[in-house]
Amino acid sequence: MSKKLHVKAVKLHVKAGDTVKVIAGHDKGTIAEVIKAIPSESQVIVKGVNMRTKHVKPQGEGESGRIDIAEAPIHSSNVQLYSTKESTVSRVGSTVKDGKKVRILKKTGEILG
């Protein structure tokens, strides 16, 4: 008898394309861009952070093997939004501008695209 687990998607404070600062873990202090957000697992993939290597065996005869290096996901709580203009981290808020809801950085008031 197998149980099916229901995974609820959680709303993340970051989106793909946001600039973030890693605040915990091996790559702490790194400032980079979010490549992909995975809301169902509360994780994000950040460019150049949490790099993993995978050794791939050769498939055909005469073919050589290779080593693939790629980013692995990290938990979204380990990153914080970063303002490149003010060089500071901040929490995210929302406001209405021109009849449209937009995300802003609370500390600087900078509007996120």
Side-chain angles (χ1 to χ4, degrees), residues 14 22-23 27 37 44 47 53 66 70 73 75 77 87 89 97 110-111:
V14 291
V22 180
I23 58 171
D27 295 302
V44 291
K47 187 178 245 176
T53 59
R66 65 184 191 276
H75 200 269
S77 66
S87 300
V89 292
K97 185 170 186 172
E110 184 180 328
I111 296 173

Side-chain angles (χ1 to χ4, degrees), residues 1-100:
M1 212 166 159
S2 67
K3 268 188 174 180
K4 274 201 165 188
L5 296 173
H6 178 68
V7 179
K8 183 182 175 190
V10 179
K11 188 173 185 292
L12 299 180
H13 65 287
V14 291
K15 292 182 178 181
D18 286 348
T19 303
V20 294
K21 183 174 184 177
V22 180
I23 58 171
H26 184 264
D27 295 302
K28 182 176 180 176
T30 306
I31 298 162
E33 185 182 336
V34 175
I35 298 171
K36 183 180 178 184
I38 309 165
S40 61
E41 298 174 17
S42 297
Q43 294 187 325
V44 291
I45 297 175
V46 183
K47 187 178 245 176
V49 172
N50 199 22
M51 300 302 284
R52 293 290 178 250
T53 59
K54 182 176 183 179
H55 296 261
V56 181
K57 282 187 171 182
Q59 295 299 311
E61 195 174 314
E63 191 179 313
S64 62
R66 65 184 191 276
I67 299 172
D68 291 340
I69 301 173
E71 294 94 352
I74 60 173
H75 200 269
S76 63
S77 66
N78 294 335
V79 296
Q80 196 168 9
L81 285 164
Y82 185 80
S83 170
T84 50
K85 292 176 188 171
E86 302 289 328
S87 300
T88 185
V89 292
S90 177
R91 296 191 317 260
V92 69
S94 62
T95 187
V96 177
K97 185 170 186 172
D98 300 328
K100 196 170 187 181

